[in-house]
Amino acid sequence: GWNIKQIAGHLSYVMNFDSTNFIQLTNDKKILQKHGIKASSLEGYLYPDTYFFNEGDSPEFVLNHLIKSHKNIWNESLINRAEAIDLTQHEIVTLASIIEGEAIYDIERPRISAVYHNRLNIGMRLQADPTIQFIIPDSPRRLLNRDLKIKSPYNTYLNQGLPPGPINSPGKNSILAALFPEENDFLF
């Protein structure tokens, strides 16, 4: 569930990558096109898992591996499920990233998903704290009322619907929760 900056920082430490260069690669249009990702960055598309790389592996090699791992999640059944609930894969990854940021335990992910689906279905703002954590520069910290007023397309307290893209890289359990929310009418 790390975001790109956190991933870049970790890879800088364990692989001796230049974190700024790595972040630039995650915004490279050629890499996005190569993998068929219709987004402005790879945020959300770097699958979180334990990986073993060799010393000397390039940032591009590592990126390609993380992206392929994410894409391997999406079998035909899950693609069909996204279509059935009238959401694109990008929207599912975006919602899953919010669930990832909100949940502590796997068992609660489908319930959190249901709350967000229910809010989306009635046109209610998501009011998701993880989206605010994504836009504040000194995250993570306790949110303040002024944080909820930051003008950003990622501010789900001000804007209706999903933000324009993921806020972290969600794992499989969050993706599944976004696709298969618990059936309830909870809004909170």
Side-chain angles (χ1 to χ4, degrees):
W2 286 345
N3 63 37
I4 284 175
K5 289 178 185 173
Q6 292 168 312
I7 294 169
H10 182 70
L11 290 174
S12 172
Y13 176 72
V14 298
M15 298 286 293
N16 203 28
F17 289 167
D18 178 333
S19 60
T20 303
N21 178 55
F22 186 85
I23 291 169
Q24 288 171 342
L25 287 172
T26 66
N27 295 304
D28 187 307
K29 302 274 187 252
K30 289 179 186 170
I31 294 173
L32 291 161
Q33 288 174 347
K34 172 185 172 184
H35 291 283
I37 296 172
K38 296 175 178 133
S40 60
S41 83
L42 291 172
E43 189 74 74
Y45 295 93
L46 306 178
Y47 190 70
D49 203 351
T50 300
Y51 296 99
F52 296 96
F53 294 108
N54 294 311
E55 190 174 319
D57 283 344
S58 70
E60 293 87 351
F61 177 84
V62 171
L63 263 181
N64 287 330
H65 194 76
L66 296 175
I67 296 164
K68 286 177 186 174
S69 295
H70 170 87
K71 292 184 98 156
N72 286 338
I73 297 287
W74 289 95
N75 61 36
E76 188 176 339
S77 172
L78 297 185
I79 292 168
N80 291 339
R81 174 63 181 170
E83 291 173 6
I85 60 174
D86 201 28
L87 293 172
T88 66
Q89 286 183 39
H90 184 71
E91 290 169 328
I92 291 294
V93 174
T94 301
L95 180 56
S97 74
I98 297 170
I99 295 165
E100 186 76 35
E102 194 77 57
I104 296 172
Y105 303 107
D106 286 340
I107 195 167
E108 64 189 7
R109 292 176 200 281
R111 180 163 293 158
I112 292 167
S113 178
V115 168
Y116 289 135
H117 276 277
N118 292 340
R119 289 179 182 182
L120 287 168
N121 289 339
I122 65 169
M124 183 178 172
R125 291 185 186 105
L126 291 181
Q127 298 179 327
D129 290 354
T131 63
I132 305 302
Q133 293 288 354
F134 180 71
I135 60 176
I136 58 175
D138 56 343
S139 175
R141 64 165 168 78
R142 186 175 67 85
L143 295 179
L144 306 171
N145 283 333
R146 70 173 180 252
D147 299 326
L148 308 181
K149 297 173 185 162
I150 296 171
K151 291 189 189 290
S152 167
Y154 286 88
N155 186 336
T156 57
Y157 278 83
L158 296 178
N159 304 302
Q160 287 196 238
L162 291 166
I167 58 170
N168 60 42
S169 290
K172 185 175 184 177
N173 289 330
S174 290
I175 292 170
L176 291 174
L179 288 163
F180 300 98
E182 180 180 283
E183 290 188 33
N184 66 46
D185 58 358
F186 300 162
L187 293 174
F188 298 94

